[in-house]
Amino acid sequence: MTSMTLPVVSVSSLESYVQAVNAIPMLTPERELELGRKLKDQNDLTAAGDMVMSHLRLVVSVARNYMGYGLPQADLVQEGNIGLMKAVKRFDPERGVRLASFAIHWIKAEIHEYILRNWRLVKVATTKAQRKLFFNLRSMKASSATLSPKEVKQIAKTLNVKESDVVEMESRLQGSDIPLEPTVDDGEESYAPIAYLKDTGETPAEELERTQSENLRTAGLTAALEGLDERSRRIIRARWLNETNPMTLTELADEFGVSAERIRQIEAKAMQKMKVQLAEVR
């Protein structure tokens, strides 16, 4: 299926596209069964192409039902075509179901996903119940007016969702998008959301630079410690890398059986050696 290409749907040629796909004859049940078996048994991509092409008019028909969301019809058709291709790939001709009936689900699913991704900057429907409401609430409302309590109750019962979900979705659908950038008519005293929605955190480049710097320091410290003898490494770790309970010179002197001054000398020598190695890493 990946090697098969569909005609590109552009806004300027949409009318011509619709005329072209409507001119492609639909498959007879016998021919559809034959092509379906070729695709399933032999992975015949030519058969898959014939099945897709003959059902492009179905996509156009389904896409017309979603024109109320302010999105280009050409884009809706293109997304529906992707759903059609997925349906053809999964079609089982032996189940006795026509491809058109089977494909509608996949066509609608792709169009739904496209609408939810693009209709609003912030998604208005994320759960299954919300999606059901999103695509049914408009058609079920008698007018553009706010739903009455009786209408809310009826819609909730019909769609098997909570009344609170109906009220919330209506509020989301009626809410308008707020432009992030100021408009031409805005006065000097007005502020668009972009003014106070700015991310004050690190940019990706700054975060990457910080992470790389931290990794470099960690790697350099590890390498510097590895360059010390065992006693010096133990002293540095106990004195400088033990944040919870660092040891004193006297405690380390007792551990190694030497004077505290000797521990201080070993520590100073080890620190100097590590500074040189860390400078080379940087």
Side-chain angles (χ1 to χ4, degrees):
M1 294 291 289
T2 55
S3 62
M4 184 182 62
T5 58
L6 288 173
V8 177
V9 187
S10 65
V11 176
S12 59
S13 62
L14 180 60
E15 185 176 347
S16 299
Y17 174 85
V18 173
Q19 293 178 352
V21 298
N22 284 338
I24 302 173
M26 294 292 291
L27 299 176
T28 64
E30 295 76 20
R31 179 59 175 164
E32 182 176 291
L33 181 62
E34 178 187 353
L35 293 174
R37 286 172 175 171
K38 283 184 177 181
L39 174 59
K40 183 179 180 182
D41 300 336
Q42 306 170 26
N43 196 30
D44 189 330
L45 295 184
T46 301
D50 290 344
M51 294 170 72
V52 169
M53 296 298 289
S54 64
H55 287 78
L56 292 176
R57 65 168 70 186
L58 175 63
V59 176
V60 173
S61 177
V62 173
R64 283 174 176 161
N65 296 323
Y66 296 92
M67 292 299 295
Y69 296 97
L71 296 171
Q73 186 180 5
D75 290 349
L76 296 173
V77 172
Q78 199 70 48
E79 294 297 320
N81 286 346
I82 295 174
L84 174 60
M85 293 179 69
K86 290 182 178 181
V88 169
K89 183 178 181 180
R90 294 166 173 80
F91 181 61
D92 185 352
E94 307 302 336
R95 290 190 175 182
V97 178
R98 293 298 303 272
L99 176 58
S101 301
F102 178 74
I104 284 180
H105 164 78
W106 293 95
I107 295 169
K108 287 183 176 181
E110 288 298 319
I111 293 177
H112 286 186
E113 287 297 325
Y114 172 75
I115 293 174
L116 292 174
R117 288 195 310 267
N118 296 277
W119 193 61
R120 287 288 169 85
L121 183 63
V122 179
K123 289 186 177 181
V124 296
T126 53
T127 67
K128 185 176 181 180
Q130 288 173 343
R131 290 179 180 225
K132 183 188 294 185
L133 277 167
F134 181 83
F135 289 106
N136 288 278
L137 189 55
R138 284 189 172 190
S139 60
M140 296 182 71
K141 290 182 64 174
S143 67
S144 58
T146 302
L147 291 172
S148 65
K150 182 178 179 180
E151 290 174 320
V152 169
K153 185 174 183 179
Q154 181 60 44
I155 292 174
K157 182 179 180 181
T158 302
L159 298 179
N160 193 28
V161 297
K162 298 178 181 178
E163 292 182 24
S164 59
D165 289 340
V166 176
V167 174
E168 180 182 356
M169 183 55 65
E170 183 190 29
S171 175
R172 292 186 184 187
L173 291 174
Q174 288 184 340
S176 59
D177 292 333
I178 302 175
L180 291 178
E181 299 288 352
T183 63
V184 177
D185 296 331
D186 284 341
E188 293 182 358
E189 299 300 323
S190 63
Y191 293 92
I194 195 67
Y196 51 83
L197 291 179
K198 181 180 179 181
D199 186 1
T200 58
E202 294 178 315
T203 66
E206 292 171 339
E207 182 179 0
L208 177 61
E209 182 180 0
R210 176 181 56 78
T211 302
Q212 289 178 334
S213 179
E214 290 176 353
N215 291 340
L216 185 61
R217 286 196 296 270
T218 301
L221 180 60
T222 301
L225 284 170
E226 291 298 324
L228 301 177
D229 60 81
E230 186 175 348
R231 183 172 62 175
S232 298
R233 188 161 53 247
R234 163 63 179 158
I235 292 172
I236 295 299
R237 287 186 183 278
R239 291 273 291 155
W240 298 99
L241 301 180
N242 187 347
E243 296 181 359
T244 57
N245 189 26
M247 296 181 69
T248 66
L249 293 173
T250 302
E251 289 172 334
L252 286 168
D254 292 340
E255 179 179 327
F256 288 104
V258 296
S259 66
E261 176 59 21
R262 179 56 181 154
I263 294 296
R264 188 194 65 77
Q265 293 173 355
I266 295 172
E267 178 187 61
K269 186 177 180 180
M271 292 288 284
Q272 183 60 37
K273 185 176 181 179
M274 289 180 66
K275 285 180 180 179
V276 173
Q277 291 181 315
L278 287 171
E280 292 176 354
V281 170
R282 287 194 290 269

